Amino acid sequence: MGFSSSRVGTSPRAISIRLLAIAAVVVTSLLTAATAGASGPCGDSPWCDSSLSPAKRASLLLSAMTPEQRIGLLAGDHAALAGADGTHTGAADGIPALGVPDFFQTDGPMGVRQGKATSMPSEMSLASSFDRNLARSYGALVGNEAKLKGNDLVYAPTVNILRTPLWGRAFESMGEDPFLTSSLAVDYIRGMQSEGVIANVKHFAVNNQEGNAQGGSRFSVSAQVDDRTLREIYLPAFEAAVKRGDVGSVMCSYNKINGVHGCENPTLLTQILREEWGFKGLVLADYGASKHIDTGLRAGLDYEPFPFVDFDGGENLTPAQVTAALQAGRINQGDIDTAVRHQLETLFRFGFFDRTPFVDDPSRINNGAHQKRARRAAEQGTVLLQNDGVLPLNSKRLGSLAVIGADATRYVNGGGSSDIDPIEFTSVLGGIQARAGKGVDVSFDPGNDLEQAAQAARGADAAVVVIADASSEGSDKPCLGIDCGAEPIDGMTIQRDALVEQVAAANPNTIVLLETAGPVLTPWRDQVAAVVEGWYPGGAAGSALARVLFGDVDPGGRLPATFPDTEAQLPTSGNPSSYPGVDNVADYSEGVLVGYRWFDKKGLKPAYPFGHGLSYSRFAFRGLKVRPDRRGAGARVSLKVANVGDRKGIAVPQLYVKMPGTAKRVQPPRQLKAFKSVKLKPGASRLVRFHLGSRAFSYWSDRRSGWDVAKGCYRIEVGKSSRSLGRGAKLAWSSASGEMRRGCGS
Ligand code: BGC
């Protein structure tokens, strides 16, 4: 597992290895520079000619390498997985004789897991912003800190789809929709790579559960998934990362996909990734995910950062094991060279040889500016789920405010390899106290004694109950209630649902502030005045959430995942063969009906639907125009978004397409195909345009083994959530003329 402190490399030895490594790099660079005159850090070897293509340079360098040197590049040499300062999650020694620098990697995605770092709100929060610009600046911030901590590659972003909200890594996902995840992942990657570090999209593929006491461990479960579901739900974000994000690397996953492990799956790693999508980068294995040297290399695995562990007795790409496999004829030199070539080509492409090595010097990080960006991101990701008018709080009129719940005092984040140690942390309680000012009497009660908490709430003008869940990589939640899997806080056990009910009964102005990984059950929602979802808000939790509560900023978030009314509504509920699986096989029998697609198809009423989120202002969406795009199966859509309220606010128009289905090809009633986050002053309006390419109207055809546009009628709807949509417009696809037409006839 990517987070156990037992796999520590933070010992003085590890740190001195790191220092030696830096010294070696510096000495090598100096030597190379000395021999190379003014030719730059790479030197004057033939592969240092930056006018040559990365492929050519990789070939030249490869041919200068001994067989041992090539084998040496297949695996990392040091791992420091506890995340201490001065260490790296993964590290590979370079080849000083050839001017190959050391190669350092770190965990992400919500910050750099290497000593203290800016703790960004969770990826789930990022997804809630529905804001591609934010994704870009978020990725750039993490990339910048990774670089200034001496890393060349970041294991981020995570783009696996939230199939069940029980997933232990729900917070690390961008929710249940492939289009939203794809769009934000592309910008995250572009932002990160604009800093010169290599992004690493993970975990390829269909890695949607950690497992629970009933089984389904991520290390061994096989996701049994049909081609159409794979292509329409689980692969699009990886495809977009490659084709549009130009991602430099991919992490293959532990789990099996249709019986074959992610890191030895030729269909995924070679056929789809390289041959179909044109991936030119590096495929690396998750921690302990390499299984067999021969099948792995031949399937398309290039590099194993952590060859020190294996969870089921498999092989690693260590020099000794690879050499033995070569001698035994299980692999040949070509298998090794292909993998090394992929690595070198990627490194050349990212300028790794042409710059001085990034230096681990966190003093150069602009902490103040980064903390501000973390705060803004958390504000944009916060979702106002319901509000009877109690919010925003007005500090001039509020006499007293009771803050209830020990979660208000602690840093709430997800466990595992994306657990970031924040440079700065403001608690929710601290943030509220600071923002409320002297005029408001802010009291606090931890909430472990229900009577006492109700008493604290009773006299106050309003009460904010802060409740968080517990979620971690390595294990799924046992159930969806907010207390499922929770640990006591400072020895106190909090019964969160009961706490909300007690406080709500004592104070009509009760506001629930959730800090959860993903959707949870909200059985008390009809009893409270407002519900706010802050997710795992990162280091700026308190300041961000206080600013939202007091209306300094509009909550910008919309739900990237459905909040079910009951756990029984989930497609996987009560069906162990589907989740967590039986005999290590999880049958993805719901097919493409994941998340809101399932709720819509089955006519289920969720607690809060996908795309839902309120503003403090009001918006009108008017004048929807849908025109066929004459260049094939596409359409141009425009609408006017007007702020008709009296405050600044954020509108998020969302466009959904209903595709024609058949008895055999079930289609979800609607699928998100475009969105935009629009900030508007009161009275202001903006024309929002969307272009829908042919992919927005396509389904995966098993018969053709490719994307196809079905004959028939398409409905395009724009609205404020998947369940709040305007009248919409229709288009028909005529395969005979190869074009979209307005309307669908009678
Ligand atoms: C996780 C990865 C992580 C790696 C290194 C694994 O257990 O699944 O996401 O990057 O550990 O910490």
Side-chain angles (χ1 to χ4, degrees):
M1 290 186 284
F3 53 90
S4 132
S5 50
S6 58
R7 39 185 251 220
V8 180
T10 53
S11 61
R13 185 179 164 271
I15 292 170
S16 54
I17 286 172
R18 166 82 186 119
L19 290 175
L20 280 174
I22 292 177
V25 167
V26 172
V27 170
T28 309
S29 313
L30 290 176
L31 284 177
T32 323
T35 52
S39 57
C42 184
D44 58 2
S45 306
W47 55 87
C48 292
D49 179 352
S50 58
S51 70
L52 300 175
S53 70
K56 179 74 192 159
R57 296 176 74 182
S59 289
L60 290 168
L61 176 51
L62 186 68
S63 49
M65 286 180 174
T66 64
E68 292 73 29
Q69 286 170 331
R70 298 177 195 193
I71 289 175
L73 287 190
L74 294 178
D77 297 290
H78 319 273
L81 288 152
D85 211 4
T87 68
H88 300 268
T89 317
D93 293 339
I95 309 172
L98 295 174
V100 178
D102 293 350
F103 179 22
F104 294 113
Q105 305 117 42
T106 183
D107 263 323
M110 272 85 84
V112 182
R113 195 166 70 99
Q114 180 178 324
K116 289 196 182 294
T118 302
S119 168
M120 294 300 282
S122 63
E123 274 198 30
M124 184 64 82
S125 167
L126 172 62
S128 293
S129 73
F130 278 63
D131 187 341
R132 297 184 50 176
N133 293 329
L134 179 67
R136 191 179 285 238
S137 107
Y138 184 127
L141 184 151
V142 179
N144 177 263
E145 294 196 5
K147 174 173 77 182
L148 297 178
K149 284 170 172 261
N151 296 287
D152 308 294
L153 181 147
V154 190
Y155 304 129
T158 303
V159 302
N160 297 112
I161 294 294
L162 186 75
R163 177 178 180 238
T164 163
L166 298 174
W167 186 26
R169 295 181 96 161
F171 63 93
E172 211 182 313
S173 84
M174 297 195 205
E176 69 194 22
D177 184 74
F179 181 79
L180 180 64
T181 304
S182 304
S183 308
L184 298 175
V186 165
D187 279 280
Y188 180 111
I189 291 163
R190 287 182 182 162
M192 177 167 273
Q193 294 191 162
S194 74
E195 288 288 334
V197 293
I198 305 170
N200 177 243
V201 69
K202 68 188 188 183
H203 312 79
F204 192 53
V206 207
N207 181 185
N208 314 104
Q209 66 186 58
E210 305 300 284
N212 63 22
Q214 278 69 53
S217 158
R218 64 171 169 162
F219 299 126
S220 47
V221 71
S222 178
Q224 216 57 35
V225 55
D226 63 74
D227 274 358
R228 179 181 165 213
T229 303
L230 196 60
R231 298 297 189 140
E232 293 189 16
I233 304 291
Y234 296 103
L235 294 189
F238 292 98
E239 182 182 1
V242 170
K243 290 185 177 170
R244 293 193 285 126
D246 200 18
V247 72
S249 68
V250 170
M251 182 187 284
C252 52
S253 61
Y254 294 117
N255 56 286
K256 295 177 183 167
I257 302 92
N258 295 325
V260 184
H261 275 292
C263 292
E264 49 185 15
N265 196 311
T267 312
L268 285 171
L269 299 183
T270 296
Q271 198 182 307
I272 296 179
L273 184 65
R274 291 199 187 270
E275 292 169 6
E276 243 183 70
W277 298 345
F279 180 65
K280 296 258 179 294
L282 171 72
V283 172
L284 58 86
D286 199 349
Y287 181 73
S290 154
K291 299 294 160 196
H292 304 94
I293 290 171
D294 46 0
T295 43
L297 286 179
R298 275 205 292 274
L301 173 63
D302 300 319
Y303 171 68
E304 186 185 17
F306 321 104
F308 320 103
V309 63
D310 194 283
F311 296 109
D312 50 14
E315 291 176 309
N316 299 105
L317 294 173
T318 56
Q321 292 182 70
V322 174
T323 306
L326 186 63
Q327 280 163 0
R330 291 172 54 213
I331 53 169
N332 58 37
Q333 191 60 42
D335 298 324
I336 296 169
D337 289 355
T338 301
V340 174
R341 193 186 298 274
H342 289 154
Q343 180 178 152
L344 295 177
E345 193 174 327
T346 307
L347 294 175
F348 276 115
R349 192 153 67 84
F350 279 81
F352 178 79
F353 289 88
D354 303 324
R355 56 166 166 83
T356 48
F358 295 146
V359 176
D360 184 0
D361 178 9
S363 72
R364 291 179 302 149
I365 295 173
N366 189 341
N367 293 333
H370 284 193
Q371 184 73 3
K372 222 180 246 167
R373 280 163 68 183
R375 190 202 77 211
R376 281 201 210 112
E379 292 164 3
Q380 268 187 266
T382 298
V383 190
L384 179 58
L385 291 171
Q386 67 182 60
N387 184 17
D388 73 356
V390 67
L391 290 176
L393 296 170
N394 184 335
S395 55
K396 296 208 180 78
R397 275 190 291 191
L398 195 69
S400 57
L401 181 67
V403 178
I404 294 169
D407 291 320
T409 60
R410 67 184 185 99
Y411 174 53
V412 179
N413 68 333
S417 58
S418 60
D419 176 359
I420 307 304
D421 184 4
I423 293 180
E424 206 181 312
F425 167 62
T426 55
S427 71
V428 173
L429 177 61
I432 290 177
Q433 280 165 334
R435 174 58 185 83
K438 290 209 176 70
V440 186
D441 175 19
V442 180
S443 65
F444 173 69
D445 184 279
N448 55 324
D449 177 326
L450 297 180
E451 254 320 295
Q452 205 175 293
Q455 188 55 36
R458 198 161 289 126
D461 292 341
V464 179
V465 188
V466 184
I467 49 174
D469 69 349
S471 189
S472 178
E473 176 182 335
S475 57
D476 290 341
K477 289 181 176 181
C479 47
L480 206 55
I482 190 156
D483 281 327
C484 292
E487 302 275 333
I489 305 172
D490 297 333
M492 292 180 290
T493 298
I494 319 265
Q495 297 169 269
R496 292 170 179 79
D497 288 330
L499 178 64
V500 172
E501 282 172 9
Q502 290 286 317
V503 172
N507 190 317
N509 293 325
T510 292
I511 299 148
V512 176
L513 177 52
L514 292 163
E515 289 180 276
T516 65
V520 291
L521 299 179
T522 50
W524 29 254
R525 63 188 176 280
D526 292 339
Q527 300 159 42
V528 300
V531 183
V532 177
E533 173 61 88
W535 309 113
Y536 293 165
S543 41
L545 293 170
R547 278 166 54 82
V548 170
L549 293 176
F550 284 91
D552 302 330
V553 65
D554 204 37
R558 304 296 184 265
L559 289 181
T562 308
F563 272 54
D565 181 28
T566 62
E567 199 167 325
Q569 288 182 329
L570 298 175
T572 49
S573 178
N575 185 359
S577 68
S578 150
Y579 172 82
V582 172
D583 296 335
N584 265 331
V585 175
D587 186 2
Y588 283 39
S589 50
E590 73 286 357
V592 297
L593 298 180
V594 174
Y596 65 92
R597 290 162 167 80
W598 169 267
F599 279 76
D600 290 347
K601 192 75 186 175
K602 302 288 167 188
L604 297 169
K605 190 169 184 292
Y608 302 109
F610 177 86
H612 169 74
L614 304 172
S615 162
Y616 290 144
S617 194
R618 286 177 300 113
F619 294 94
F621 295 176
R622 301 187 182 119
L624 175 70
K625 290 203 181 76
V626 179
R627 287 186 290 127
D629 178 347
R630 293 291 162 205
R631 281 175 302 157
R636 298 195 178 271
V637 179
S638 65
L639 78 150
K640 201 164 152 194
V641 177
N643 185 341
V644 295
D646 53 10
R647 311 173 59 93
K648 250 202 271 180
I650 300 175
V652 182
Q654 302 158 35
L655 183 152
Y656 295 84
V657 174
K658 174 173 199 244
M659 306 222 235
T662 62
K664 271 173 70 188
R665 193 180 62 248
V666 170
Q667 283 293 3
R670 57 191 69 90
Q671 305 193 57
L672 183 75
K673 295 296 172 183
F675 60 84
K676 189 153 186 71
S677 171
V678 187
K679 284 197 185 96
L680 285 174
K681 294 198 175 117
S685 61
R686 187 176 312 160
L687 190 69
V688 172
R689 295 174 206 273
F690 296 124
H691 180 243
L692 301 175
S694 63
R695 183 70 176 263
F697 300 102
S698 302
Y699 70 97
W700 180 263
S701 160
D702 287 332
R703 196 171 52 83
R704 292 183 167 214
S705 209
W707 296 98
D708 201 4
V709 182
K711 191 168 101 226
C713 186
Y714 293 77
R715 172 175 280 281
I716 286 123
E717 296 168 297
V718 179
K720 294 175 184 161
S721 82
S722 62
R723 291 286 175 102
S724 167
L725 296 164
R727 271 187 47 233
K730 288 178 182 167
L731 291 175
W733 170 249
S734 152
S735 36
S737 64
E739 57 180 21
M740 280 287 178
R741 300 228 172 105
R742 257 180 243 262
C744 290
S746 50

